[in-house]
Amino acid sequence: MISRALAVVLLAGVSFPAAAQQFSDNKVKIGILNDQSGVYADFGGKWSYEAAKMAVEDFGGKVKGVPIEVVTADHQNKADIASNIARQWYDTEQVDAIMELTTSSVALAVQGISQEKKKIDIVTGAATSDLTGKSCSPYGFHWAYDTHALAVGTGGALVQQGGDTWFFLTADYAFGYSLEEQTSKFVTSKGGKVLGSVRHPLATTDYSSFLLQAQSSGAKVIGLANAGLDTANAIKQAAEFGIVAGGQRMAALLFTLAEVHGLGLEAAQGLTLTEGFYWDRDDQSRAWAKKFFDRTGRMPNMIQAGTYSAVLQYLKAVDKAGTDETEAVAKNLHEMPVEDVFARGGKVGANGRMIHDMYLMEVKKPSESKQPWDYYKVLATIPGDEAYIKPAESGCPLVK
């Protein structure tokens, strides 16, 4: 017969809430892994971490009574460093999902590790459409934008406006190649021509030789297939060479509100670009952006707003599943609609691509801006089904 004291001990051992027993380590832990010190520090950086924390707070701080934790690290735009951090997070620090992942080489590496470890990754910072193409994963999701959507937006629009000859300045890694290739396809499909291209290393400081080649090509549009400080520095130096004054146009194929702010309207005015979010879109986006501004001193771009959306949707999927078990959460992420401040009527394809509207923007002249961070004119809304590759055509081996 069991003694009263022993019975109390046995009961105490099983008295945890039933929900907690469905969660590894009795918590949900999310890692925000991105560039916090290099060329993409403003692009995502610590601001994406703040957006992730906002999502947790807005969700209520717990899921099914289990606490939610967010950690962050700087991968320094190096795939080997990112891979080491990802393995450590998964193997010893009980991280359930990794998100943001600025830089395509990093995102591809971490998505591979996540698939190996059967963990979820949601990419908001990297661009390459290979993440939901040939390198897709059953546990991998691509959220805020990709190279195809940028090419449809900026590339297609400028050709229709008369920019029918192009020369590319391209970042010399996977993201740049993909962005140039896909934009070139849209330029030629609209009847335009690509006159040439030149590749530059990541974090280049001197663009003079590259810009001279672009200038001498005579192309009507110089497409900047790079991002962050690389794009900003190229635009600054292009002004010194008188490229825009000479009649050529600069197309920033991946440029966000953060980089426009850093560059200033005087230098950035007239640029055409594509983003998946604008803080001044409507009352809901303005209200959320004000909360973001109050804690960061800046307005969010599509990377930061997309990270908020990704974290929030992940938590909704966990809540619906009643567990942080990867297969169950991934199933919900594929099936649940995305409806939040970032995406309206969003949906996730079988290849993990979150399909949502994109926006073609033109940077305002200083005289057109009515208040701080009032930088964009929305030229067009690009429906998600037009912006993104159809899952069946993406090359993802998971899609039948």
Side-chain angles (χ1 to χ4, degrees):
M1 186 173 179
I2 300 175
S3 70
R4 182 182 296 272
L6 180 56
V8 169
V9 171
L10 291 173
L11 286 171
V14 295
S15 62
F16 294 107
Q21 298 174 31
Q22 304 301 315
F23 290 82
S24 57
D25 309 295
N26 294 329
K27 63 184 173 185
V28 172
K29 193 170 183 179
I30 299 166
I32 303 298
L33 183 57
N34 61 11
D35 174 15
Q36 299 177 13
S37 58
V39 294
Y40 303 138
D42 276 350
F43 184 74
K46 61 184 179 181
W47 318 116
S48 289
Y49 178 50
E50 288 300 321
K53 291 191 292 183
M54 285 177 66
V56 171
E57 292 164 13
D58 288 349
F59 192 79
K62 293 183 178 181
V63 54
K64 299 295 186 187
V66 174
I68 304 162
E69 182 180 352
V70 183
V71 296
T72 190
D74 182 357
H75 60 48
Q76 301 173 48
N77 293 311
K78 296 178 180 176
D80 56 342
I81 291 176
S83 297
N84 289 337
I85 293 169
R87 290 188 184 279
Q88 180 179 334
W89 276 359
Y90 287 148
D91 292 343
T92 65
E93 297 187 23
Q94 298 83 48
V95 168
D96 297 298
I98 296 177
M99 304 186 195
E100 221 271 39
L101 296 168
T102 311
T103 311
S104 293
S105 56
V106 163
L108 289 166
V110 173
Q111 181 154 291
I113 292 168
S114 300
Q115 182 170 359
E116 172 195 332
K117 301 290 184 181
K118 293 189 175 180
K119 297 285 189 176
I120 285 171
D121 70 278
I122 306 180
V123 178
T124 58
T128 178
S129 56
D130 284 350
L131 288 160
T132 51
K134 63 183 181 181
S135 300
C136 69
S137 160
Y139 316 120
F141 299 86
H142 203 180
W143 218 251
Y145 71 105
D146 66 17
T147 49
H148 187 272
L150 298 176
V152 171
T154 309
L158 283 183
V159 174
Q160 291 174 334
Q161 294 177 12
D164 56 3
T165 55
W166 284 62
F167 187 96
F168 288 94
L169 265 66
T170 302
D172 193 11
Y173 70 105
F175 150 70
Y177 312 151
S178 181
L179 188 52
E180 178 188 334
E181 178 187 5
Q182 295 192 28
T183 306
S184 296
K185 286 180 180 177
F186 275 93
V187 168
T188 55
S189 72
K190 299 290 184 181
K193 294 182 179 180
V194 176
L195 303 184
S197 66
V198 63
R199 292 177 175 176
H200 67 80
L202 183 67
T204 299
T205 56
D206 183 3
Y207 285 86
S208 56
S209 65
F210 309 124
L211 288 167
L212 284 171
Q213 290 181 61
Q215 189 175 37
S216 63
S217 74
K220 294 178 183 177
V221 179
I222 298 172
L224 301 174
N226 49 22
L229 286 177
D230 282 337
T231 307
N233 287 334
I235 292 168
K236 286 179 185 176
Q237 291 175 40
E240 295 170 7
F241 281 95
I243 287 177
V244 175
Q248 290 174 293
R249 189 166 187 176
M250 305 290 286
L253 298 174
L254 177 50
F255 210 55
T256 76
L257 193 76
E259 290 76 52
V260 172
H261 181 72
L263 192 57
L265 287 183
E266 189 64 41
Q269 61 182 305
L271 280 173
T272 303
L273 55 91
T274 302
E275 282 214 56
F277 175 84
Y278 184 39
W279 72 269
D280 202 19
R281 180 181 59 194
D282 55 33
D283 288 344
Q284 184 184 4
S285 62
R286 283 188 285 272
W288 181 80
K290 184 181 184 303
K291 289 171 59 180
F292 185 89
F293 184 89
D294 288 344
R295 66 194 288 161
T296 64
R298 60 195 295 121
M299 287 298 184
N301 65 5
M302 67 174 170
I303 313 305
Q304 293 132 17
T307 300
Y308 173 90
S309 172
V311 172
L312 192 63
Q313 191 74 0
Y314 174 76
L315 294 174
K316 290 177 182 177
V318 170
D319 183 60
K320 184 178 180 181
T323 176
D324 59 2
E325 193 274 323
T326 296
E327 298 282 356
V329 177
K331 181 176 184 292
N332 285 337
L333 283 170
H334 276 285
E335 294 175 352
M336 293 167 54
V338 184
E339 195 69 43
D340 55 34
V341 71
F342 176 78
R344 310 291 162 75
K347 57 187 178 183
V348 177
N351 59 345
R353 174 66 255 173
M354 200 272 277
I355 299 165
H356 60 95
D357 293 347
M358 298 290 288
Y359 305 94
L360 179 66
M361 314 285 198
E362 183 176 280
V363 178
K364 291 182 175 182
K365 298 175 182 177
S367 60
E368 295 173 321
S369 179
K370 306 302 183 199
Q371 60 179 312
W373 297 92
D374 174 25
Y375 295 159
Y376 289 162
K377 291 183 285 188
V378 180
L379 301 180
T381 298
I382 305 159
D385 287 332
E386 295 179 17
Y388 294 102
I389 302 171
K390 292 178 174 58
E393 299 170 4
S394 67
C396 171
L398 300 173
V399 181
K400 297 178 182 178

